[in-house]
Amino acid sequence: AQSVTQLDSQVPVFEEAPVELRCNYSSSVSVYLFWYVQYPNQGLQLLLKYLSGSTLVKGINGFEAEFNKSQTSFHLRKPSVHISDTAEYFCAVSAPYGGSQGNLIFGKGTKLSVKP
Amino acid sequence: EAGVAQSPRYKIIEKRQSVAFWCNPISGHATLYWYQQILGQGPKLLIQFQNNGVVDDSQLPKDRFSAERLKGVDSTLKIQPAKLEDSAVYLCASSLEMGFQETQYFGPGTRLLVL
């Protein structure tokens, strides 16, 4: 079975500082990886996804993530954050196993708090 | 393009009562998902539909939860009777097709509090 571990439950940073949100996954088969963002009282919005090809994936709002197969990681980065990036970020995996038909397995989320 | 619509946005009920949530997916999306998001956790899939057929309901507590997607468009999720541990946000999502690479688009969710 697949699982996702987000190593930090909360990450406080100052505005314009860089940030990295960590995500590790466990899987015995090849996976597809996703990062979603959830703003307060809203649904989840896709930031970026890794399906194949280049291991560096660029997403919306200046975010990027790097897939590292040997370390089974998919960390999310942004070189300079804004107050508006304050939200909860979820890493998720999708994999063909045990009859799964494409549903997502989510981590517990990381709350990013950007301070002025 | 309109997004995934859900109603109601908030619901407070007492334990043992019943409740129903409604979801209208993005037009043309064949696959619809219901997730349960308990406070402090990531969303967990409850049920997945492809058109009006169920493809995965392995994590749906079938003794109290039921869902249907008549005519392959709108969907309703029902809880009867509700328990305290059902307090959560219920998210509906849809995707164009079923598949591991598909992007799922989420609605704003229904926040349920069971007292």
Side-chain angles (χ1 to χ4, degrees):
Chain A
Q2 281 64 41
S3 66
V4 177
T5 302
Q6 292 186 242
L7 297 162
D8 305 295
S9 60
Q10 297 189 50
V11 174
V13 294
F14 287 105
E15 193 174 19
E16 298 183 4
V19 69
E20 178 180 80
L21 306 183
R22 298 181 292 170
C23 172
N24 285 90
Y25 68 92
S26 173
S27 176
S28 58
V29 300
S30 296
V31 298
Y32 303 105
L33 294 156
F34 303 76
W35 275 101
Y36 279 84
V37 60
Q38 187 174 34
Y39 298 103
N41 298 315
Q42 295 186 28
L44 281 75
Q45 178 184 5
L46 181 70
L47 274 178
L48 49 78
K49 62 182 178 182
Y50 172 78
L51 304 180
S52 65
S54 173
T55 56
L56 184 62
V57 181
K58 294 190 181 297
I60 62 171
N61 301 339
F63 284 93
E64 63 181 30
E66 185 159 18
F67 170 60
N68 188 319
K69 188 175 182 179
S70 63
Q71 297 187 9
T72 60
S73 68
F74 190 54
H75 300 334
L76 181 70
R77 302 185 182 100
K78 186 169 183 178
S80 176
V81 294
H82 303 287
I83 297 289
S84 58
D85 293 323
T86 295
E88 191 159 17
Y89 293 79
F90 291 92
C91 182
V93 63
S94 175
Y97 75 97
S100 168
Q101 300 294 334
N103 60 286
L104 294 169
I105 307 296
F106 285 90
K108 291 187 175 183
T110 297
K111 291 184 178 178
L112 176 64
S113 176
V114 182
K115 304 176 186 302
Chain B
E1 178 182 78
V4 176
Q6 290 187 248
S7 68
R9 291 295 309 277
Y10 305 91
K11 191 74 177 179
I12 301 175
I13 62 173
E14 295 189 350
K15 59 183 179 183
R16 292 188 288 275
Q17 286 187 323
S18 63
V19 65
F21 313 128
W22 173 83
C23 172
N24 180 241
I26 293 173
S27 178
H29 280 198
T31 312
L32 185 146
Y33 314 78
W34 283 101
Y35 288 87
Q36 180 192 56
Q37 186 179 13
I38 293 174
L39 187 65
Q41 298 182 22
K44 182 188 79 171
L45 181 75
L46 291 175
I47 190 167
Q48 178 181 351
F49 292 92
Q50 177 69 6
N51 296 311
N52 61 350
V54 176
V55 295
D56 186 351
D57 63 356
S58 57
Q59 298 189 86
L60 187 74
K62 298 180 186 64
D63 58 334
R64 298 183 300 105
F65 286 66
S66 64
E68 59 182 10
R69 190 184 184 197
L70 300 176
K71 301 180 181 179
V73 182
D74 294 4
S75 177
T76 302
L77 177 70
K78 296 179 181 178
I79 308 175
Q80 183 180 8
K83 292 185 175 181
L84 296 177
E85 58 260 36
D86 297 332
S87 294
V89 177
Y90 291 85
L91 295 165
C92 179
S94 69
S95 61
L96 190 60
E97 286 296 341
M98 183 169 64
F100 306 102
Q101 305 180 31
E102 289 290 322
T103 295
Q104 296 183 26
Y105 297 85
F106 286 79
T110 295
R111 190 174 298 271
L112 174 68
L113 179 60
V114 182
L115 302 176

